[in-house]
Amino acid sequence: MNVKRKLIEVTLPLEAINKASAREKSIRHGHPSTLHLWWARRPLAAARAVIFAQMVDDPASLPDLFPTEQEQQKERERLFNIIEELVQWENTTNEAVLQAARDEIWKSWQRTCTEHANHPRAKELFDPHKLPAFHDPFAGGGSLPLEAQRLGLEAYASDLNPVAVLINKAMIEIPPRFAHRPPVNPEARQKQDLIGHNWQGARGLAEDVRYYGRWMRDEAELRIGHLYPKIEVTADMAEDRPDLKPYVGEKLTVIAWLWARTVKSPNPAFAHVDVPLASTFMLSTKAGKEAYVEPIIEGEGYRFTVKVGKPEDAERAKRGTKLARGANFECLMSGMPISDDYIKAESMAGRMGARLMAIVAEGERGRVYLPPTPEHEAAAREAQPVWKPETPLAPDPRALWTPPYGLTTYGDLFTPRQLVALTTFSDLVGEAIDRVRGDALAVGLPDDPTPLRDGGTGAAAYAEAVGVYLAFAVDKCSDYWSAICSWHSYGEKMSHTFVRQAIPMMWDYAEANPYCASTGNWMAMVHWVWKSLDTLQAVPKGGSSQADASVQ
């Protein structure tokens, strides 16, 4: 008896799959992983290859077509060639490559249907005109359902985690519902180069996410832009900095404000001074572009200045005021050690503050590092959030390091200015939905009140769909706009909160400017979401729901 096997049960081109999966880790623009953060995502290349190999017959199971081992091996090599093309990132949206894989799946499926034509439920289970649906009850980041959909199968995902459910809805459920539709925004309807554009897949939806995301940025700047002023380069700043002379009199857009947390000095002689807890004074460690903060003690206080070039005391600049691992610092004023216990006591008593150390601005050929100014420190302190999340952080010292230092709620992880920005953009998502709905009605979408969650496809549902992706952009901003973000001195860019599966204590942090054109800005987050959506397949249909795998 010939036992019919699928290709995955016999062999796979593992080297090609592993190589493509490893390379995928470095892919960012357009990759679904940039839609929303999710831990332990499975490589799309591996998911695509595995599903294909599960659906396609191994040639040894088809002796009528391939009677000899040589013919069977030749056919396997042909299938391997399809897989090797299929797993390449560049072919993610290559219809010719994808269709070749789909054709092989259809061939195997139709052979299966023929073999089971006499099955009592053949009409239901073995329909040669409809591929079987795919269901992943542990969907997580959605790699498997997404790739099943890309290969032509109806894809269904479920998970207990509501974040995973929403990610899968955004990838496999919402795009097919609005596939091949042109955008509704007025710019796309008026621009000659966009009229008649090919809005295949989810490209029309993606274009609306980009347009209304930009509208949100402009509207937010009108409301809170004064909290993010430009910085004027003065002659005094350039006196000892030849690199600043070309910028004197110019107002530069700020990329980030770099802060150090502070506590009162434990030395009685300086108990009135808030001394910095700085893990480093280095701003840029890139060869030839070194820059660093230099604290200058003046009387019973101090100020920060910024210098370029290699510091004379490289070790001191590298470690800041840190003495050892953990919360062990030294008093800038007296050199007295500041213990972990002292910092915990001060912070839990509400006496931990922050002081501006430096400002990073956009220059003509790269970053410009500037000293802090009273005006910029005052602008940050002007922010008055009307709301902050008061949910307590879980008592998990292995993953959540901030509670012993007074940062005990989620709201404590953000500065007042960051809270104002996040609430402003969150509010604007709802306003953008209203605007999308009005524009959708204006171009003829049905005035159907059925919401997105109930399967609606009219103007109201479409507006909510755009809102889902704009909300993802706000989520991404919360990762980059927290007081747990640091400045990456070698890459000269923002580091985000979740560089690992934990929330560490950050002693010196970087506060991004939502309105700059560099790292951490609002439109960068919209761009990640827009590019990811632009590459989604959008056919055939799919679905995502919250469910317990043990009862399915």
Side-chain angles (χ1 to χ4, degrees):
M1 178 181 176
N2 180 39
V3 179
K4 192 170 185 180
R5 293 182 177 182
K6 295 297 181 181
L7 183 63
I8 196 171
E9 298 178 85
V10 180
T11 184
L12 284 174
L14 291 177
E15 185 176 349
I17 296 170
N18 292 340
K19 184 177 179 180
S21 297
R23 177 172 174 258
E24 199 176 301
K25 293 179 181 179
S26 63
I27 304 293
R28 284 294 175 263
H29 289 277
H31 196 283
S33 65
T34 63
L35 191 64
H36 193 285
L37 182 65
W38 185 260
W39 306 118
R41 283 183 181 268
R42 302 296 176 248
L44 301 184
R48 205 176 306 149
V50 163
I51 293 170
F52 174 82
Q54 283 179 322
M55 297 296 295
V56 173
D57 297 328
D58 179 72
S61 298
L62 307 170
D64 292 342
L65 296 176
F66 310 104
T68 68
E69 288 188 10
Q70 291 81 1
E71 289 176 298
Q72 293 167 11
Q73 186 57 32
K74 183 178 180 181
E75 176 64 7
R76 281 194 198 99
E77 289 174 1
R78 187 184 71 84
L79 294 174
F80 280 9
N81 288 335
I82 291 176
I83 293 176
E84 288 166 5
E85 288 291 312
L86 191 63
V87 297
Q88 298 303 315
W89 168 252
E90 291 77 10
N91 291 330
T92 302
T93 58
N94 186 324
E95 274 301 310
V97 172
L98 292 172
Q99 192 56 50
R102 293 174 194 141
D103 290 345
E104 295 301 325
I105 291 172
W106 272 105
K107 288 178 188 177
S108 292
W109 174 243
Q110 288 174 339
R111 281 194 292 264
T112 299
C113 292
T114 300
E115 292 165 4
H116 293 83
N118 296 324
H119 191 282
R121 296 172 62 191
K123 188 175 181 180
E124 175 189 356
L125 299 178
F126 299 100
D127 184 348
H129 304 294
K130 184 179 181 181
L131 288 173
F134 178 93
H135 176 219
D136 183 357
F138 304 98
S143 295
L144 287 168
L146 177 63
E147 293 310 318
Q149 189 179 64
R150 207 186 302 276
L151 291 173
L153 283 69
E154 288 186 9
Y156 297 93
S158 61
D159 203 290
L160 269 179
N161 192 314
V163 176
V165 174
L166 187 57
I167 291 172
N168 279 275
K169 281 184 178 292
M171 292 198 304
I172 66 170
E173 181 178 317
I174 296 174
R177 205 179 298 178
F178 304 103
H180 313 310
R181 291 189 184 184
V184 302
N185 73 77
E187 179 182 82
R189 297 289 177 173
Q190 294 170 6
K191 277 192 173 182
Q192 290 299 317
D193 59 334
L194 293 180
I195 295 174
H197 185 81
N198 177 17
W199 301 111
Q200 185 176 356
R203 289 176 181 171
L205 179 59
E207 176 60 22
D208 276 334
V209 170
R210 184 200 62 80
Y211 173 86
Y212 293 102
R214 191 180 63 197
W215 173 83
M216 286 175 61
R217 180 214 180 276
D218 296 342
E219 190 65 26
E221 189 169 23
L222 292 175
R223 301 181 189 185
I224 60 172
H226 63 282
L227 298 176
Y228 298 90
K230 293 186 176 184
I231 183 166
E232 183 175 355
V233 180
T234 65
D236 288 343
M237 291 179 184
E239 187 174 346
D240 298 321
R241 292 271 306 274
D243 62 302
L244 294 182
K245 292 189 184 299
Y247 298 108
V248 171
E250 289 189 33
K251 290 186 176 182
L252 305 181
T253 298
V254 174
I255 295 172
W257 292 266
L258 309 185
W259 300 80
R261 299 190 194 276
T262 62
V263 294
K264 297 292 184 185
S265 171
N267 188 319
F270 300 101
H272 60 289
V273 180
D274 293 309
V275 293
L277 307 175
S279 61
T280 184
F281 286 138
M282 292 303 300
L283 301 174
S284 172
T285 56
K286 189 173 290 186
K289 295 184 178 181
E290 293 88 353
Y292 60 98
V293 171
E294 183 171 272
I296 298 174
I297 297 175
E298 296 178 331
E300 293 192 349
Y302 64 93
R303 63 183 174 88
F304 291 120
T305 189
V306 172
K307 294 192 173 184
V308 294
K310 294 182 178 180
E312 292 182 8
D313 189 345
E315 187 273 335
R316 173 59 189 273
K318 182 179 179 180
R319 70 172 176 84
T321 61
K322 214 171 197 320
L323 290 178
R325 286 174 58 87
N328 293 285
F329 293 84
E330 66 176 342
C331 171
L332 180 66
M333 302 300 295
S334 65
M336 181 177 179
I338 306 176
S339 70
D340 178 58
D341 288 341
Y342 178 82
I343 294 172
K344 285 178 178 176
E346 288 293 291
S347 57
M348 291 302 290
R351 291 191 290 269
M352 180 159 33
R355 182 158 172 175
L356 188 59
M357 282 202 305
I359 297 171
V360 189
E362 295 176 352
E364 290 183 4
R365 298 177 183 175
R367 312 305 194 211
V368 177
Y369 296 94
L370 299 167
T373 68
E375 295 78 14
H376 276 257
E377 190 146 0
R381 304 203 187 283
E382 182 186 340
Q384 298 294 326
V386 297
W387 177 84
K388 64 181 287 189
E390 299 289 356
T391 304
L393 290 163
D396 182 359
R398 294 177 303 173
L400 305 174
W401 301 358
T402 65
Y405 302 101
L407 309 181
T408 59
T409 70
Y410 283 98
D412 294 334
L413 303 180
F414 303 89
T415 69
R417 181 160 56 178
Q418 289 169 334
L419 288 170
V420 169
L422 287 168
T423 52
T424 299
F425 278 96
S426 295
D427 291 342
L428 281 167
V429 171
E431 295 181 34
I433 289 173
D434 292 338
R435 184 170 285 261
V436 176
R437 183 176 180 276
D439 291 340
L441 289 171
V443 299
L445 263 67
D447 188 8
D448 181 357
T450 307
L452 184 67
R453 66 175 180 272
D454 293 337
T457 57
Y462 183 76
E464 290 175 349
V466 174
V468 167
Y469 300 100
L470 294 176
F472 275 6
V474 177
D475 276 2
K476 294 178 76 67
C477 286
S478 69
D479 189 24
Y480 279 86
W481 300 353
S482 86
I484 307 299
C485 297
S486 62
W487 180 253
H488 194 294
S489 61
Y490 183 76
E492 296 189 282
K493 62 183 180 179
M494 292 286 301
S495 288
H496 59 121
T497 303
F498 289 108
V499 292
R500 54 180 149 179
Q501 296 183 43
I503 298 179
M505 184 62 195
M506 198 60 61
W507 300 108
D508 35 79
Y509 58 89
E511 189 177 12
N513 181 0
Y515 308 110
C516 71
S518 301
T519 177
N521 73 84
W522 163 255
M523 284 308 297
M525 306 306 153
V526 173
H527 182 81
W528 290 118
V529 174
W530 162 62
K531 289 295 290 182
S532 177
L533 180 57
D534 193 52
T535 63
L536 296 181
Q537 189 63 31
V539 289
K541 71 178 183 178
S544 175
S545 60
Q546 187 175 24
D548 184 346
S550 67
V551 296
Q552 294 185 54

